[in-house]
Amino acid sequence: MNEIDIVLVAAVAQNGVIGREGDMPWRLASDFRRFRQITMGKPQVMGRKTFASIGKPLPGRTNIIVSRDPELSIEGCLTANSLEDALSLARADASAKGVDEICIQGGGEIYRQAIRLADRLRITHVETELQGDTVFPEIDPDVWEATEEERVPAGEKDDYPTRYVVYERRR
Ligand SMILES: NC(=O)c1ccc[n+]([C@@H]2O[C@H](COP(=O)([O-])OP(=O)(O)OC[C@H]3O[C@@H](n4cnc5c(N)ncnc54)[C@H](OP(=O)(O)O)[C@@H]3O)[C@@H](O)[C@H]2O)c1
């Protein structure tokens, strides 16, 4: 069986900001399309607050919501009381579907815990600095090597230009 990689997928401003008041501080239609394409069919692990901001399960993907609340039940989603349990559910799902990535979809609290377990980062660098209350952890160049990069000019429905970078963990 192929290896299943843990991948953090995030859009991050130049100063590390990823969120403000429970939402994302930008509108980036091009990145939304890319996000859909790179995550489709793969299990998605996210914190309860990120799920609340999206408001419904992402279609075509198994949504796994992490919460410390053992009573939490969300229609159309799996729930887990720890990141480890969420990853076990995600591994089983990926393996059953024959996909090779588990996507960690945030938010800040979950990225902070998951980056040490990740094999790959798929980061949309948003080319601006913004105020916010949630940040992505540091991407340490001693740990992460950029292996793919694409500059995306701001389209009509994008607030800012972006730079999509794939980072692999250095072995
Ligand atoms: N720019 C991006 O790419 C991006 C992506 C995703 C999210 N965001 C933004 O990030 C913000 C949300 O991030 P956040 O840091 O506030 O929250 P979060 O990481 O989405 O969710 C935090 C919640 O997850 C649960 N949790 C975290 N660690 C856990 C653990 N080890 N075991 C069990 N449950 C655990 C807890 O839920 P309970 O309180 O229910 O116990 C906690 O309150 C929003 O502004 C959102 O828009 C941005």
Side-chain angles (χ1 to χ4, degrees):
M1 201 184 69
N2 288 340
E3 216 174 283
I4 297 169
D5 291 329
I6 297 177
V7 184
L8 270 52
V9 183
V12 185
Q14 286 165 343
N15 56 344
V17 165
I18 60 164
R20 183 169 57 216
E21 293 171 3
D23 211 341
M24 292 216 225
W26 46 63
R27 183 190 59 148
L28 293 169
S30 323
D31 192 55
F32 185 73
R33 282 195 297 279
R34 183 197 300 277
F35 175 80
R36 190 171 189 283
Q37 183 216 328
I38 62 183
T39 61
M40 191 49 70
K42 302 171 185 172
Q44 308 293 307
V45 173
M46 73 195 89
R48 195 259 310 156
K49 293 182 183 170
T50 291
F51 178 76
S53 84
I54 301 172
K56 57 179 188 318
L58 296 168
R61 289 149 280 190
T62 298
N63 291 240
I64 303 164
I65 317 305
V66 192
S67 167
R68 295 188 178 87
D69 176 2
E71 307 288 315
L72 184 71
S73 158
I74 303 170
E75 201 182 329
C77 299
L78 301 178
T79 53
N81 290 141
S82 69
L83 183 58
E84 290 68 25
D85 286 356
L87 290 173
S88 298
L89 290 170
R91 262 190 214 97
D93 182 74
S95 162
K97 294 195 173 128
V99 297
D100 58 4
E101 288 189 346
I102 292 169
C103 299
I104 309 285
Q105 259 224 50
E109 211 183 305
I110 295 294
Y111 289 139
R112 213 161 38 243
Q113 298 169 67
I115 194 164
R116 69 191 162 84
L117 306 171
D119 302 290
R120 183 171 305 119
L121 313 176
R122 296 185 179 276
I123 304 297
T124 298
H125 291 284
V126 184
E127 302 290 35
T128 186
E129 294 201 359
L130 286 170
Q131 292 207 327
D133 50 30
T134 317
V135 293
F136 195 81
E138 189 207 349
I139 301 173
D140 180 349
D142 288 341
V143 176
W144 298 102
E145 179 183 15
T147 57
E148 206 181 306
E149 176 165 347
E150 186 190 339
R151 287 177 187 278
V152 183
E156 213 175 283
K157 294 185 178 166
D158 301 321
D159 290 341
Y160 306 102
T162 59
R163 192 164 47 87
Y164 173 68
V165 182
V166 180
Y167 297 88
E168 300 286 340
R169 181 180 288 280
R170 294 181 190 277
R171 300 288 167 192

